[in-house]
Amino acid sequence: MTLFRLDSSIRTEGSVSREVADTLERAYLDQHPGGAVVRRDLVADPLPADAWPTAALAGFTPEDQRTDAQRAALGLAARLADEVLGADALVLATPLYNFGVSQHLKAWIDLLITDPRFAPGTSPLAGRPVALVVARGGGYGAGTPREGWDHATGWIVRILADVWGADVTLIEAELTLADVQPAMAELRPLAAQVRAQAHERAETVGKDFGRTAA
């Protein structure tokens, strides 16, 4: 049984999204010791910047007229699709950057959609469990000054659930910058509480994934 893990934080050390995903992964493997984990780190191994436009245009080009670059981009998209489709459960870990989607994650999603198996209307992940781990430096909840400023999470869930048909569980950690921002010092106890809750939820979801895969 296989868990697919995707990371998109530019921080390889001190990343809360990676940290919470680690908890989920450990819980999954504790529940299912024989399980495999396939990892794709979009920062350690970034996708080529021109892969998506090249693959997208290749879709409008007759196969016998495609360039080598177009064939390579489509081949990369197919490999990404194979990784995802080969998994029984998935965890996607991402931060909120500049109130929007990490460019690394956006590039991955855009390229994946060029594969016919992930095109709109296909629902390739129908019924498959997916955990979306989101880390946000500030607070974006109801009643906060930044309510409505998170323009990433809703869009990602829409792609995973409504376009690809996945059974999505959202795991959120907020106020992750409280420990390093003096202006947020008074929020540190709340930040620690929210972070602990995210780990607890990740552990529960990881165990559920292990039982589901078994």
Side-chain angles (χ1 to χ4, degrees):
M1 298 298 176
T2 302
L3 174 71
F4 174 76
R5 172 174 172 175
L6 186 82
D7 287 288
S8 59
S9 172
I10 60 174
R11 301 175 66 190
T12 55
E13 297 293 333
S15 164
V16 175
S17 65
R18 291 176 185 271
E19 177 187 299
V20 174
D22 285 343
T23 295
L24 189 150
E25 181 182 323
R26 283 194 298 270
Y28 171 83
L29 291 175
D30 286 345
Q31 184 69 32
H32 195 71
V37 179
V38 173
R39 300 177 182 85
R40 178 166 286 275
D41 189 325
L42 297 175
V43 174
D45 185 18
L47 299 174
D50 62 348
W52 170 68
T54 303
L57 290 175
F60 298 97
T61 305
E63 188 171 356
D64 61 350
Q65 297 177 29
R66 290 173 181 167
T67 66
D68 289 343
Q70 288 177 326
R71 294 189 181 93
L74 291 173
L76 176 57
R79 291 194 295 275
L80 300 183
D82 289 342
E83 288 177 349
V84 173
L85 293 175
D88 302 283
L90 299 86
V91 54
L92 277 61
T94 184
L96 177 72
Y97 285 146
N98 300 318
F99 315 115
V101 182
S102 158
Q103 67 168 354
H104 300 92
L105 179 59
K106 183 65 162 57
W108 180 80
I109 290 173
D110 285 343
L111 186 55
L112 201 52
I113 288 176
T114 67
D115 186 276
R117 292 168 289 178
F118 281 81
T122 56
S123 299
L125 301 182
R128 202 167 313 199
V130 176
L132 174 61
V133 177
V134 177
R136 295 184 283 258
Y140 294 82
T144 65
R146 291 281 171 84
E147 179 183 359
W149 284 50
D150 176 354
H151 299 287
T153 304
W155 179 83
I156 300 169
V157 171
R158 182 77 68 183
I159 293 292
L160 294 173
D162 295 345
V163 178
W164 292 343
D167 181 7
V168 180
T169 299
L170 182 60
I171 303 172
E172 301 171 282
E174 288 202 328
L175 306 173
T176 62
L177 292 177
D179 287 342
V180 297
Q181 290 288 349
M184 298 176 66
E186 64 179 18
L187 295 173
R188 287 171 187 170
L190 178 58
Q193 178 184 347
V194 171
R195 191 164 175 168
Q197 290 172 343
H199 280 283
E200 290 172 5
R201 183 160 174 76
E203 183 172 5
T204 298
V205 172
K207 290 178 179 179
D208 288 344
F209 278 7
R211 285 191 287 267
T212 301

